């Protein structure tokens, strides 16, 4: 079968950033914007996306792997990612369906590597095994000061009448989250052709527009045949 042209092939877009920056909301909005243009899209997340990967997600985010250390957690994330890529991401891309993922390999680099201190060689080896060449076409890094991000999360929890709880990583100290932010910014700086940093401290509608501007500029074929 001949390979799809560059203008028609499916795209793989990932969203990265610290806790509370709005990734989940914006990835849903991007999916809706793409579907309005008759583009087949699947939305997924990491860790997760497949039954096996979701089981690993629960194990990690419940804090059950914390005592094992960041190296062991990096291996667990890679195992989840390997199944995610093989069972969901790669098959959809081959079938012409765009894939949007809430986190991907950059999160392992930021959380376990740059913040957790896991050796670069181990991170790179796990990454090579799990991705098997399925590198994102575009990574959107939503950037926001952690103090502001957690205040926004708390305000929304109060507004919705919900208890403010945190998972394994949300409960880390604020200085840890500041290092995490710097980790994501460093990754973006090292990968300018793939990563775009967008200021997340703006309204949801403004942020949606900023993301769409980046996506439509990167993939101009989206606008072909679209209403003016």
């Amino acid at each position: 079968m001949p390979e799809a042209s560059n203008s028609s092939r499916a795209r793989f877009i990932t969203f990265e950033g610290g806790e509370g920056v709005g990734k989940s909301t914006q990835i849903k909005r991007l999916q809706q914007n793409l579907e309005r243009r008759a583009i087949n899209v699947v939305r997924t997340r990491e860790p997760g996306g497949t039954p096996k990967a979701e089981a690993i997600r629960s194990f990690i985010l419940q804090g059950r792997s914390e005592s094992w250390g960041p190296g062991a957690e990096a291996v667990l994330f890679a195992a989840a990612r390997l199944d995610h890529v093989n069972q969901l991401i790669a098959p959809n891309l081959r079938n012409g369906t765009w894939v949007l993922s809430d986190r991907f390999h950059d999160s392992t680099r930021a959380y376990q590597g740059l913040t957790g201190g896991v050796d670069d060689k181990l991170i790179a080896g796990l990454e090579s095994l799990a991705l098997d060449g399925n590198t994102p076409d575009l990574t959107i890094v939503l950037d926001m000061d952690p103090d502001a991000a957690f205040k926004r999360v708390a305000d929304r929890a109060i507004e919705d009448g919900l208890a403010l709880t945190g998972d394994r990583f949300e409960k880390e100290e604020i200085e840890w989250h500041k290092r995490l932010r710097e980790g994501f910014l460093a990754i973006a700086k090292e990968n300018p052709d793939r990563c775009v940093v967008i200021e997340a401290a703006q309204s949801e509608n403004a942020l949606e527009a900023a993301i769409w501007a980046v996506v439509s500029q990167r993939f101009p074929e989206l606008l072909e045949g679209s209403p003016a």
Side-chain angles (χ1 to χ4, degrees):
M1 179 182 295
E3 184 177 349
S5 69
N6 185 58
S7 62
S8 63
R9 72 177 178 84
R11 309 292 177 166
F12 180 22
I13 302 175
T14 57
F15 279 66
E16 298 285 2
E19 308 294 337
V21 296
K23 297 185 309 304
S24 297
T25 297
Q26 292 303 325
I27 200 169
K28 290 176 184 176
R29 290 189 175 208
L30 178 57
Q31 179 183 17
Q32 292 167 353
N33 280 325
L34 292 170
E35 290 175 341
R36 280 195 287 270
R37 289 161 175 81
I39 294 173
N40 293 325
V41 185
V42 62
R43 173 167 50 89
T44 187
R45 68 178 184 177
E46 285 218 345
T50 65
K52 292 178 181 177
E54 288 290 340
I56 295 175
R57 177 190 182 90
S58 296
F59 184 83
I60 294 173
L61 296 188
Q62 288 171 7
R64 296 166 66 186
S65 64
E66 186 173 4
S67 64
W68 298 2
E73 287 188 332
V75 173
L76 288 173
F77 279 118
R81 183 165 300 123
L82 179 63
D83 191 67
H84 191 202
V85 168
N86 288 341
Q87 301 300 320
L88 188 148
I89 294 173
N92 275 287
L93 292 174
R94 285 196 299 268
N95 291 335
T97 298
W98 288 44
V99 177
L100 309 181
S101 185
D102 184 344
R103 297 199 182 284
F104 195 56
H105 71 298
D106 291 316
S107 280
T108 298
R109 286 191 168 273
Y111 279 76
Q112 283 73 47
L114 297 174
T115 305
V118 177
D119 185 80
D120 287 345
K121 292 181 180 179
L122 174 60
I123 295 288
L126 293 172
E127 186 176 290
S128 178
L129 172 67
L131 268 62
D132 191 26
N134 291 280
T135 304
D137 296 291
L138 170 66
T139 296
I140 295 170
V141 179
L142 298 184
D143 179 52
M144 190 174 183
D145 178 78
D147 287 308
F150 279 100
K151 183 179 185 302
R152 185 165 71 175
V153 170
D155 289 344
R156 288 180 179 174
I158 293 171
E159 181 179 329
D160 295 338
L162 302 173
L164 186 60
T165 59
D167 62 29
R168 153 80 176 84
F169 298 105
E170 290 171 340
K171 292 179 179 178
E172 294 283 359
E173 296 292 332
I174 194 65
E175 290 304 318
W176 186 93
H177 287 280
K178 290 180 178 179
R179 294 197 305 273
L180 178 67
R181 179 193 188 190
E182 292 305 314
F184 277 118
L185 292 176
I187 290 170
K189 186 175 181 179
E190 292 169 2
N191 299 274
D193 293 337
R194 174 173 62 84
C195 299
V196 176
V197 178
I198 300 179
E199 173 57 58
Q202 52 185 313
S203 72
E204 290 183 356
N205 288 341
L207 184 52
E208 176 186 354
I211 291 170
W212 182 251
V214 168
V215 172
S216 57
Q217 181 179 30
R218 182 64 62 95
F219 312 120
E221 69 274 12
L222 292 176
L223 301 180
E224 294 177 5
S226 297

